[in-house]
Amino acid sequence: MIKEKARVKTFKINDTDVTAKSDSSILEVAKEHGIKIPTLCYFEGLSEVGSCRMCLVEVKGSDKLIPACTSKIKEGMEVITNSPKLESHRKMVLSMIFAERTHTCSVCVSNGNCELQDQAIELGLEHSHVPYIHKHFELDASHKDYVYDPNRCILCTRCVRVCDEVEGAHALDIFGRGIDAKIIHDMDEPWANSESCTSCGKCVQVCPTGSLFEKGVSSAEMVKKKNIVTNLIQMRKDR
Ligand code: FES
């Protein structure tokens, strides 16, 4: 009997025939074939949560858009990763993310080094398509090395997942719902008082925006060292 992992499926991405292992996601196969699908909550090696909806793709014969990061390939499916419908959808998703918090790039520590900003530039998003909410959150600058600014948080939960799945500390979680949601340490303690935080800084490295940042680092110097996390994940896979 062929094991599920070894089975291969054939399907189309943007009219090109591709084959891949049956447990692959659409996003993984697209990446393998050099096809770019925009993502925000996805981080290679961490679990997929499918929360940001930037990676939605079309499947021929279906009216529904599906997230490429959490959807497995199916035999014979025909995936479209780029279309006017998807572009308009992605612009709307980005607009809602921008409108929900205060993403003023010109005064952000991650200006020029931000995945949200990159996506907006790539999609040619010049203004938000929905009104700004202007909700204000207190900054947590209690940690000696790091700051959490909920005003720039897009709630992708990469920080929560890396802390849990790679560092094994599970110091972070989401607290609240909707526009009130934010990342908390332990039971909503100031970061400096967290007993489970190991101060490893992995959360800062995987943050796609300027929400988690190192103290004393100016925007020009703010280079995220994502390889700290990806190397660790790769080492685990190779074991
Ligand atoms: Fe797929 Fe966020 S990257 S939903």
Side-chain angles (χ1 to χ4, degrees):
M1 190 176 140
I2 304 171
K3 279 188 188 165
E4 177 64 18
K5 277 223 163 225
R7 249 187 250 150
V8 165
K9 290 192 174 159
T10 306
F11 67 109
K12 282 183 195 283
I13 302 187
N14 300 340
D15 287 329
T16 302
D17 286 320
V18 289
T19 51
K21 282 189 203 154
S22 58
D23 60 351
S24 312
S25 71
I26 296 172
L27 183 66
E28 283 167 342
V29 182
K31 281 178 106 181
E32 275 166 28
H33 289 80
I35 298 165
K36 196 170 173 202
I37 299 177
T39 56
L40 277 173
C41 64
Y42 174 82
F43 189 93
E44 193 173 348
L46 299 182
S47 59
E48 299 86 12
V49 288
S51 63
C52 75
R53 315 312 270 180
M54 275 302 285
C55 70
L56 290 194
V57 291
E58 288 187 63
V59 176
K60 276 192 189 162
S62 166
D63 287 340
K64 270 175 52 184
L65 302 178
I66 58 166
C69 65
T70 53
S71 303
K72 301 287 179 210
I73 56 165
K74 287 191 186 136
E75 183 72 35
M77 78 191 314
E78 294 187 38
V79 177
I80 301 160
T81 64
N82 251 317
S83 68
K85 181 177 172 180
L86 288 171
E87 185 172 319
S88 129
H89 167 83
R90 286 168 186 156
K91 278 185 174 167
M92 184 51 80
V93 169
L94 274 186
S95 288
M96 289 194 285
I97 294 174
F98 272 102
E100 198 174 63
R101 302 278 155 108
T102 314
H103 297 284
T104 313
C105 302
S106 54
V107 290
C108 177
V109 72
S110 263
N111 187 12
N113 224 323
C114 168
E115 292 177 42
L116 182 64
Q117 188 183 44
D118 291 345
Q119 303 275 9
I121 293 169
E122 212 155 298
L123 273 172
L125 187 80
E126 289 165 352
H127 60 273
S128 170
H129 296 244
V130 289
Y132 284 90
I133 292 174
H134 293 302
K135 186 165 171 64
H136 180 71
F137 291 87
E138 290 297 315
L139 214 102
D140 184 347
S142 61
H143 192 280
K144 65 179 176 40
D145 297 323
Y146 311 120
V147 180
Y148 172 51
D149 181 356
N151 300 292
R152 302 194 189 286
C153 181
I154 61 168
L155 301 168
C156 65
T157 70
R158 283 187 188 179
C159 55
V160 175
R161 285 175 282 147
V162 79
C163 185
D164 184 30
E165 297 167 16
V166 180
E167 181 62 7
H170 199 128
L172 303 171
D173 235 316
I174 293 248
F175 177 78
R177 298 171 73 90
I179 58 164
D180 295 321
K182 62 171 187 167
I183 302 296
I184 54 165
H185 289 85
D186 295 352
M187 301 298 280
D188 201 9
E189 306 291 328
W191 196 342
N193 297 352
S194 167
E195 286 179 9
S196 44
C197 173
T198 60
S199 298
C200 69
K202 292 186 182 70
C203 53
V204 174
Q205 303 308 333
V206 298
C207 177
T209 69
S211 181
L212 286 161
F213 59 92
E214 281 177 47
K215 281 184 178 172
V217 178
S218 72
S219 59
E221 299 164 310
M222 184 86 178
V223 178
K224 299 269 171 104
K225 303 167 200 107
K226 290 187 183 136
N227 59 329
I228 292 176
V229 174
T230 45
N231 290 349
L232 259 172
I233 290 170
Q234 193 53 49
M235 272 166 59
R236 279 189 188 174
K237 274 190 194 163
D238 295 342
R239 251 185 236 155

